[in-house]
Amino acid sequence: MFDANTYTQRRLQLKQQLGGDLILLLGNEEAGMNYQDNWYPFYQDSTFRYYFGLDLAGLTGIIDVDGDEVILFGPEQSLDDVVWTGALPSLASLAVQVGVHKVMPTEKVANYLAGAKNIHYLPPYRPEHQLKLQNWTGKTALEPSLSLIQAVVAQRTIKSDAEIQEIEKAVTYTARMHRSVMQFAREGMKEHEVASEALRYAEATGNLLSFPVICTTQGQILHNHYRGNTLRDGDMLLFDGGIQTAAGYAGDMTRTFPVGPTFTERQRELYQVVLETHEAAMAALKPGMLYKDVHLLACRKLTDGLKQVGLMRGDTEEAVQAGAHTMFFQCGLGHMMGMDVHDMENLGEQYVGYTPELRKSTEFGLKSLRLGRALEPGFVLTVEPGIYIIPELIDMRRNDKVAQQFINFEKLDTYRDFGGVRIEDDLLITETGSRILGEPLERALAEVEAIRQQAL
Amino acid sequence: MFDANTYTQRRLQLKQQLGGDLILLLGNEEAGMNYQDNWYPFYQDSTFRYYFGLDLAGLTGIIDVDGDEVILFGPEQSLDDVVWTGALPSLASLAVQVGVHKVMPTEKVANYLAGAKNIHYLPPYRPEHQLKLQNWTGKTALEPSLSLIQAVVAQRTIKSDAEIQEIEKAVTYTARMHRSVMQFAREGMKEHEVASEALRYAEATGNLLSFPVICTTQGQILHNHYRGNTLRDGDMLLFDGGIQTAAGYAGDMTRTFPVGPTFTERQRELYQVVLETHEAAMAALKPGMLYKDVHLLACRKLTDGLKQVGLMRGDTEEAVQAGAHTMFFQCGLGHMMGMDVHDMENLGEQYVGYTPELRKSTEFGLKSLRLGRALEPGFVLTVEPGIYIIPELIDMRRNDKVAQQFINFEKLDTYRDFGGVRIEDDLLITETGSRILGEPLERALAEVEAIRQQAL
């Protein structure tokens, strides 16, 4: 699907955008867990892979705009290596697969860079990048290139048809993993037992996880990697997981479902609020719309719903402007998605999700919104509203005037052990609106309960 | 099982061994896959965990021998963190759990070190370690401490009863994972489908893998992480996998079994050679014995077996001295095991597996033997002989005089597609000999075939 010509064209476009100088793109190295040679599963740097295609460790790409050449740097296989790994394709033959016709050993990178007038590189997000850049440029104070960041973001943000096909595949795998988890969970299991079904699914289908799954009865803990709780009847399980396909594209979905055959009445009410918010937000997506405005629309919809339930009160518009809804929805509505599950997060959210004219807010709530800018056809993004009842936050805000005006603390105190609900899908912005990617996955109350009832 | 007193005693012993100066032990950080906050599963540095117990990222331990104090450095939780992660125990309360009564924020490490006369630290094996050490010591040329390495190796090499219990648990989990994989594999599956059962098992039981599993029909490729081949009737599957328990101890076993219900005649013959070698090697383990001599004994046993099969010829002793057996057995017989699957490999094999008097050989074969030194009660190690038919190696040695003398190339050429067999178990050196750790796992020909026949 991505042939040599694809990569050649991508590099050409980047080269034209930069106009001069030298572009240095670092592939990732194998990462040692507890000693150097005990490797984690390999994840390639997504920008390197976007321009140089190869999913192998130890490679470096240089697009020498001034010198008008492209070089792939890497290791050559030794005779010893052949005994341990079998014969592998040569660096030169790998390079040709991605349209590159000049290769050099990695030891020559520093030397090659010494002749360059101006070197553009991206922000280092792994310690290994920092060490390489320091060693190769001789500088300890690194200066990532803003013009390179902007050019890469501009190019990678608009997904090609071939990329959309690949993302669609990733999301379909993701949806199937979710259904499998929804059918697998049982009362009495530990969260990690349920999560094991996701790990199994990813490996069985020849894929990776695009991020470590969140699989929790404590959905209100947003950064939650603990998986030691036992599933009890009456709990909800929040599962947030995604597949990364062999071609390197990600999916990212969340479903929240009852451990028993049905939601409780209280769960049903709040689930429905999140579901309607999710649908309203998805319906609002279209080119030209600020994603920040979709987020705020979702906040108002959520507030309306919470008012009906009796957990919020007062004027919806005023409540959202005052940030009162962040008692329940502390984070952003969604983010870009592509080769990275938070696409290009390593390049800086301010460049990926915002523009020089639209800066990221520093307010609680909005400061966690990774995407704010106006939507364009070819964007791929998530929509993931939620309600999270965080006891610590209730207590922090109990004496806050704004909160007292809009929050019904008396009722909220009876929800302290509620947990969290999130519903997340992946969408493509089209010429006229949007469409959900991947095979459909149940999300309506009755659909989710039907899966659980059939499973139990 | 490991209480505050355990860690206090371990630190005290280390302190007494060093006698002065300051010991700096780095805990590991979270490692980003494709951007900083998309984390791999966390693996703590094993030496940090041995002395400071805590399985959390971002910690640093200092044993200030001259200043007579122990300090745990780490981050303090912010109010924002509480919203995202829930309330976590404070650094001070974590420290108390491992017997440490002084904590400081990580930002103070450099300042604290500035007052030290002499700083001992271990070799950095992650790029993050190198950056931290450079930043904290102000030196770019790092000098890991040989006396610290030697003291840590001396202490960690002899396993305590509590540690042996934990390793026994890890090996039992490992054995059960193996049995599960042996029952799960089917003709027509891809290797990664079989591997998915191991990933599932590790997560379902609340454990980690101690290393990425090797699950291959191409057992002759020793460094093999590719899992895309399809299992065919007549193939053997080599599965090498281990569990790391929550307490941080590893297991490591290998079994080779037929995809069909029985081995072929050719497979049966060579499997039996490996099995008898494995048993001879295990029987030879006892205090005082050089593991290098056990390795050489295994090489002779293997050569005898290969002579009977007709793949080798000539005098066994001469053949092994000339290294002719490395056509079939290119690597070492085993390695130390403990908190790391290759225990303390990050400290340097020359210090862990050898002594100043017994240096590691540079010969092909012996240079891959990670452990050579005299065995002592309390050592935990693997025994893992194998036969690997590597076509590239056959061709490389075809005109080699030594090989021509001892190898029957005419017959060997008919084995080019044979693959590889390995059998691996984990053992404790006792006062009088050794014992296999963990629940027994089938390894005799008939036992292995019986599992496959029941499964199919």
Side-chain angles (χ1 to χ4, degrees):
Chain A
M1 183 181 281
F2 302 109
D3 57 8
N5 191 46
T6 304
Y7 299 110
T8 301
Q9 288 304 316
R10 286 176 179 172
R11 289 190 300 261
L12 193 64
Q13 194 181 329
L14 183 65
K15 188 176 149 184
Q16 286 165 349
Q17 190 62 36
L18 266 281
D21 305 335
L22 178 151
I23 302 162
L24 170 66
L25 296 175
L26 274 57
N28 283 343
E29 297 291 330
E30 299 285 3
M33 302 190 287
N34 53 338
Y35 50 89
Q36 199 163 357
D37 291 339
N38 198 20
W39 298 338
Y40 280 113
F42 181 67
Y43 283 75
Q44 182 59 292
D45 177 75
S46 57
T47 300
F48 177 84
R49 195 167 182 186
Y50 183 81
Y51 294 105
F52 284 89
L54 299 167
D55 189 29
L56 296 166
L59 303 175
T60 305
I62 284 184
I63 303 172
D64 186 353
V65 186
D66 288 342
D68 196 24
E69 61 175 3
V70 177
I71 309 111
L72 180 70
F73 293 80
E76 277 296 350
Q77 213 184 5
S78 70
L79 267 185
D80 253 25
D81 290 340
V82 172
V83 172
W84 302 107
T85 62
L88 297 177
S90 70
L91 187 60
S93 69
L94 290 169
V96 167
Q97 291 173 21
V98 296
V100 176
H101 299 281
K102 184 169 181 178
V103 298
M104 293 175 77
T106 304
E107 300 76 50
K108 302 281 187 186
V109 173
N111 197 42
Y112 192 96
L113 292 178
K117 202 176 66 210
N118 201 1
I119 303 166
H120 296 261
Y121 50 80
L122 297 172
Y125 59 91
R126 283 186 175 196
E128 71 189 57
H129 300 159
Q130 209 168 323
L131 283 175
K132 278 186 184 174
L133 291 171
Q134 287 177 356
N135 291 340
W136 290 345
T137 67
K139 293 182 186 173
T140 47
L142 298 173
E143 291 167 27
S145 160
L146 185 56
S147 56
L148 179 59
I149 291 172
Q150 288 169 332
V152 170
V153 168
Q155 209 174 335
R156 286 184 54 187
T157 297
I158 308 296
K159 270 64 180 176
S160 70
D161 290 347
E163 287 187 285
I164 291 163
Q165 273 185 46
E166 214 26 77
I167 297 173
E168 188 107 40
K169 202 161 105 182
V171 181
T172 290
Y173 274 123
T174 299
R176 291 180 186 175
M177 173 172 73
H178 272 264
R179 194 173 296 112
S180 182
V181 165
M182 287 163 85
Q183 290 166 341
F184 183 79
R186 293 287 182 279
E187 187 188 347
M189 281 182 179
K190 297 270 190 191
E191 292 157 345
H192 62 75
E193 288 182 73
V194 183
S196 77
E197 172 58 15
L199 273 65
R200 181 202 68 74
Y201 181 88
E203 179 72 22
T205 54
N207 295 302
L208 289 168
L209 293 171
S210 51
F211 57 98
V213 301
I214 295 173
C215 183
T216 181
T217 57
Q218 307 294 309
Q220 79 287 359
I221 302 178
L222 293 161
H223 292 178
N224 194 351
H225 295 106
Y226 177 72
R227 298 178 192 152
N229 298 303
T230 301
L231 277 61
R232 304 268 172 231
D233 191 26
D235 285 345
M236 291 182 294
L237 191 82
L238 185 153
F239 179 75
D240 186 350
I243 287 290
Q244 176 177 317
T245 62
Y249 285 82
D252 181 9
M253 299 175 78
T254 307
R255 289 293 184 268
T256 310
F257 58 87
V259 169
T262 54
F263 288 100
T264 66
E265 211 37 50
R266 214 169 63 158
Q267 289 166 350
R268 183 182 304 271
E269 272 190 331
L270 292 196
Y271 187 96
Q272 192 61 29
V273 172
V274 175
L275 186 68
E276 286 169 14
T277 301
H278 183 256
E279 276 161 13
M282 292 197 298
L285 298 171
K286 62 178 179 190
M289 184 89 176
L290 291 183
Y291 193 77
K292 183 182 177 179
D293 288 340
V294 183
H295 171 83
L296 290 170
L297 177 151
C299 295
R300 290 192 299 271
K301 185 80 185 171
L302 199 77
T303 300
D304 282 339
L306 288 164
K307 279 163 63 181
Q308 281 189 357
V309 174
L311 285 166
M312 289 187 73
R313 60 191 170 206
D315 181 73
T316 298
E317 188 65 40
E318 281 176 35
V320 170
Q321 277 190 15
H325 64 286
T326 65
M327 175 69 86
F328 303 94
F329 183 42
Q330 300 81 13
C331 52
L333 182 66
H335 52 78
M336 295 278 205
M337 194 184 81
M339 298 183 79
D340 305 302
V341 56
H342 293 171
D343 208 26
M344 299 173 274
E345 180 164 307
N346 54 318
L347 304 185
E349 275 175 4
Q350 62 274 37
Y351 308 115
V352 177
Y354 291 84
T355 62
E357 295 72 39
L358 182 74
R359 296 275 171 187
K360 199 186 214 189
S361 168
T362 53
E363 277 173 51
F364 187 85
L366 278 174
K367 78 175 174 186
S368 303
L369 179 62
R370 299 174 193 278
L371 173 61
R373 62 191 280 198
L375 303 176
E376 297 175 36
F379 279 24
V380 171
L381 48 79
T382 69
V383 172
E384 46 179 313
I387 290 179
Y388 312 101
I389 310 283
I390 302 174
E392 292 85 354
L393 191 59
I394 299 175
D395 295 336
M396 276 184 222
R397 294 205 183 158
R398 192 173 295 282
N399 300 314
D400 177 276
K401 277 205 173 149
V402 168
Q404 282 180 333
Q405 185 183 345
F406 296 107
I407 306 286
N408 180 348
F409 278 96
E410 205 175 333
K411 179 150 190 174
L412 181 53
D413 274 328
T414 69
Y415 277 72
R416 289 175 74 92
D417 63 347
F418 176 83
V421 174
R422 176 164 65 251
I423 303 172
E424 176 182 24
D425 284 283
D426 306 324
L427 295 99
L428 169 71
I429 305 301
T430 62
E431 294 295 331
T432 55
S434 74
R435 71 175 177 88
I436 298 185
L437 293 169
E439 210 171 69
L441 176 66
E442 294 77 0
R443 66 169 171 268
L445 268 167
E447 289 170 350
V448 170
E449 287 182 341
I451 291 190
R452 293 299 294 154
Q453 284 156 17
Q454 282 162 26
L456 296 175
Chain B
M1 184 181 284
F2 301 109
D3 58 7
N5 190 46
T6 304
Y7 299 110
T8 301
Q9 287 306 318
R10 286 176 180 174
R11 287 189 301 261
L12 192 64
Q13 194 182 329
L14 183 64
K15 188 176 150 183
Q16 286 165 347
Q17 190 62 35
L18 266 282
D21 304 336
L22 179 150
I23 302 162
L24 170 65
L25 296 175
L26 274 56
N28 283 343
E29 297 291 330
E30 299 283 3
M33 302 190 286
N34 53 339
Y35 49 90
Q36 197 163 359
D37 291 339
N38 198 21
W39 297 338
Y40 280 112
F42 181 67
Y43 283 76
Q44 182 60 290
D45 176 75
S46 58
T47 301
F48 177 84
R49 197 167 182 187
Y50 183 82
Y51 293 104
F52 284 89
L54 300 167
D55 188 30
L56 295 166
L59 303 175
T60 305
I62 284 183
I63 303 172
D64 186 353
V65 186
D66 286 342
D68 197 23
E69 61 176 3
V70 177
I71 309 112
L72 179 71
F73 293 80
E76 276 295 350
Q77 211 184 10
S78 71
L79 267 185
D80 253 25
D81 290 339
V82 173
V83 172
W84 302 108
T85 61
L88 298 177
S90 70
L91 186 61
S93 71
L94 290 169
V96 167
Q97 291 173 23
V98 295
V100 176
H101 299 282
K102 183 169 182 179
V103 298
M104 293 176 78
T106 304
E107 300 75 51
K108 303 280 186 187
V109 173
N111 197 42
Y112 192 96
L113 293 178
K117 201 177 63 206
N118 202 1
I119 304 167
H120 296 261
Y121 50 80
L122 298 171
Y125 60 91
R126 284 186 175 194
E128 71 189 59
H129 300 159
Q130 209 168 324
L131 282 174
K132 277 185 184 175
L133 290 171
Q134 287 177 355
N135 291 339
W136 290 344
T137 66
K139 293 183 185 171
T140 48
L142 298 173
E143 290 166 26
S145 160
L146 184 56
S147 57
L148 179 59
I149 290 172
Q150 287 169 332
V152 170
V153 168
Q155 209 172 336
R156 286 184 55 186
T157 296
I158 307 296
K159 271 63 179 176
S160 71
D161 290 346
E163 287 187 285
I164 292 163
Q165 273 184 47
E166 218 20 81
I167 298 173
E168 188 107 39
K169 203 161 104 182
V171 181
T172 290
Y173 274 124
T174 299
R176 292 180 186 175
M177 173 172 74
H178 272 263
R179 195 173 294 111
S180 182
V181 164
M182 287 163 86
Q183 290 167 340
F184 183 78
R186 293 288 182 281
E187 186 188 348
M189 281 183 179
K190 297 270 190 189
E191 291 159 344
H192 62 76
E193 288 181 75
V194 183
S196 78
E197 173 58 14
L199 274 65
R200 181 203 68 73
Y201 181 88
E203 178 72 22
T205 53
N207 295 303
L208 290 167
L209 292 171
S210 51
F211 59 97
V213 300
I214 295 173
C215 183
T216 181
T217 57
Q218 306 296 309
Q220 79 285 2
I221 303 178
L222 293 161
H223 292 177
N224 194 352
H225 295 105
Y226 177 73
R227 297 177 193 153
N229 299 304
T230 301
L231 277 61
R232 305 267 172 230
D233 190 25
D235 285 347
M236 289 183 294
L237 192 81
L238 184 153
F239 179 76
D240 185 351
I243 288 291
Q244 176 176 318
T245 62
Y249 285 81
D252 179 11
M253 298 174 80
T254 307
R255 289 293 183 268
T256 309
F257 58 86
V259 170
T262 51
F263 287 99
T264 66
E265 211 38 50
R266 213 170 62 158
Q267 290 166 351
R268 184 182 303 272
E269 273 191 330
L270 292 197
Y271 187 96
Q272 192 61 29
V273 172
V274 175
L275 185 69
E276 286 170 14
T277 302
H278 182 255
E279 276 162 14
M282 292 196 299
L285 298 171
K286 63 178 179 191
M289 183 89 176
L290 290 185
Y291 193 76
K292 184 181 176 180
D293 287 340
V294 184
H295 170 84
L296 290 170
L297 176 151
C299 295
R300 291 192 298 271
K301 184 81 185 169
L302 199 76
T303 300
D304 282 339
L306 288 163
K307 278 164 63 182
Q308 281 189 358
V309 174
L311 285 164
M312 290 187 73
R313 60 190 170 206
D315 181 72
T316 299
E317 187 65 42
E318 280 177 35
V320 169
Q321 276 190 15
H325 64 286
T326 65
M327 174 70 85
F328 303 93
F329 183 41
Q330 301 80 15
C331 53
L333 182 67
H335 51 79
M336 295 277 206
M337 194 184 81
M339 299 183 79
D340 306 302
V341 55
H342 294 172
D343 208 25
M344 301 173 273
E345 179 163 309
N346 54 318
L347 303 186
E349 275 174 5
Q350 64 273 37
Y351 307 115
V352 178
Y354 291 84
T355 61
E357 294 72 39
L358 182 73
R359 296 277 171 187
K360 198 187 215 187
S361 167
T362 54
E363 277 174 49
F364 187 85
L366 277 174
K367 76 176 174 186
S368 302
L369 179 62
R370 300 174 192 278
L371 174 59
R373 62 192 279 198
L375 303 177
E376 297 175 34
F379 279 24
V380 172
L381 48 78
T382 68
V383 172
E384 46 179 313
I387 291 179
Y388 313 103
I389 310 282
I390 303 174
E392 293 84 356
L393 192 58
I394 299 176
D395 295 336
M396 276 183 222
R397 295 205 183 158
R398 191 173 296 283
N399 299 314
D400 178 275
K401 279 206 173 150
V402 168
Q404 281 180 335
Q405 183 183 348
F406 296 107
I407 307 284
N408 178 349
F409 278 96
E410 204 175 336
K411 179 149 191 176
L412 182 53
D413 274 328
T414 69
Y415 277 71
R416 290 175 73 91
D417 63 347
F418 176 83
V421 174
R422 177 164 63 251
I423 304 172
E424 177 182 21
D425 284 283
D426 306 323
L427 294 100
L428 169 71
I429 304 302
T430 61
E431 295 295 330
T432 54
S434 75
R435 71 175 178 87
I436 298 187
L437 293 169
E439 212 172 70
L441 176 65
E442 293 76 0
R443 66 170 172 267
L445 268 167
E447 289 170 350
V448 171
E449 288 184 341
I451 292 191
R452 293 299 294 156
Q453 283 156 18
Q454 283 161 25
L456 297 175

